Amino acid sequence: MGSRDTNVVILIGRAVADCESSYTGSGLAIGKFSIACNDMKKGTTGYTDEVSFFSCVMFGKTAENVGKYITKGKQVSIVGKLKQDKWVDNQTGQNRYAVKVIINQLQLLGGGQQGQTVQAPQELFNKDDITDAKFEEDIPF
């Protein structure tokens, strides 16, 4: 067995749209949404806003229980890992890549559910890497 490197990401941002919930053919719940994270960038004329967008996905009980609370503009704190997808574009034949955040802990910030932390079931993320599982449905971002 090879060694493992560290892959942890922590983000606080606002949902750019309501969470999209679905299920795989085997019944696994999936929640997908994107967040916008604001930052300041120093330029020659001072500071300007810089926004980065991140695609996020959660699975299982976390997706079932929390997805309905993630609405456009809702601020969330997430802890997870980065996952890179690779595919061949059917039209151009070119390799395409996308990076998404696989969430294992999510906290709703602000609003009615302030401070509510939801921890993904550990057994879900300790299996032989659920992100490498072959789902019957694509999870596009």
Side-chain angles (χ1 to χ4, degrees):
M1 178 179 274
S3 65
R4 290 188 178 229
D5 296 321
T6 300
N7 180 355
V8 176
V9 62
I10 301 170
L11 298 169
I12 295 176
R14 294 191 181 273
V16 298
D18 294 354
C19 180
E20 297 177 17
S21 298
S22 62
Y23 289 86
T24 65
S26 63
L28 179 67
I30 302 172
K32 300 180 287 186
F33 63 99
S34 294
I35 63 171
C37 295
N38 295 312
D39 202 357
M40 298 295 286
K41 181 178 180 180
K42 186 175 182 180
T44 56
T45 60
Y47 288 93
T48 58
D49 285 331
E50 182 176 71
V51 181
S52 297
F53 296 90
F54 300 97
S55 298
C56 304
V57 64
M58 55 190 167
F59 298 96
K61 294 293 183 191
T62 304
E64 288 178 337
N65 296 333
V66 181
K68 59 188 166 209
Y69 298 111
I70 299 173
T71 56
K72 183 176 181 177
K74 183 70 175 172
Q75 189 178 40
V76 296
S77 169
I78 59 174
V79 178
K81 67 180 182 176
L82 298 178
K83 171 74 170 131
Q84 181 183 44
D85 290 334
K86 177 183 174 185
W87 69 96
V88 176
D89 186 304
N90 290 335
Q91 294 180 348
T92 66
Q94 299 291 314
N95 287 333
R96 300 287 182 210
Y97 303 90
V99 175
K100 61 187 169 194
V101 179
I102 306 297
I103 297 171
N104 60 20
Q105 185 176 351
L106 184 143
Q107 184 175 4
L108 301 169
L109 304 174
Q113 299 294 324
Q114 186 170 1
Q116 179 181 353
T117 300
V118 179
Q119 177 75 38
Q122 275 308 108
E123 66 276 5
L124 180 65
F125 293 97
N126 288 337
K127 289 183 181 174
D128 291 327
D129 205 354
I130 192 165
T131 59
D132 292 337
K134 300 294 182 207
F135 296 117
E136 294 177 27
E137 305 165 5
D138 264 343
I139 305 174
F141 284 105

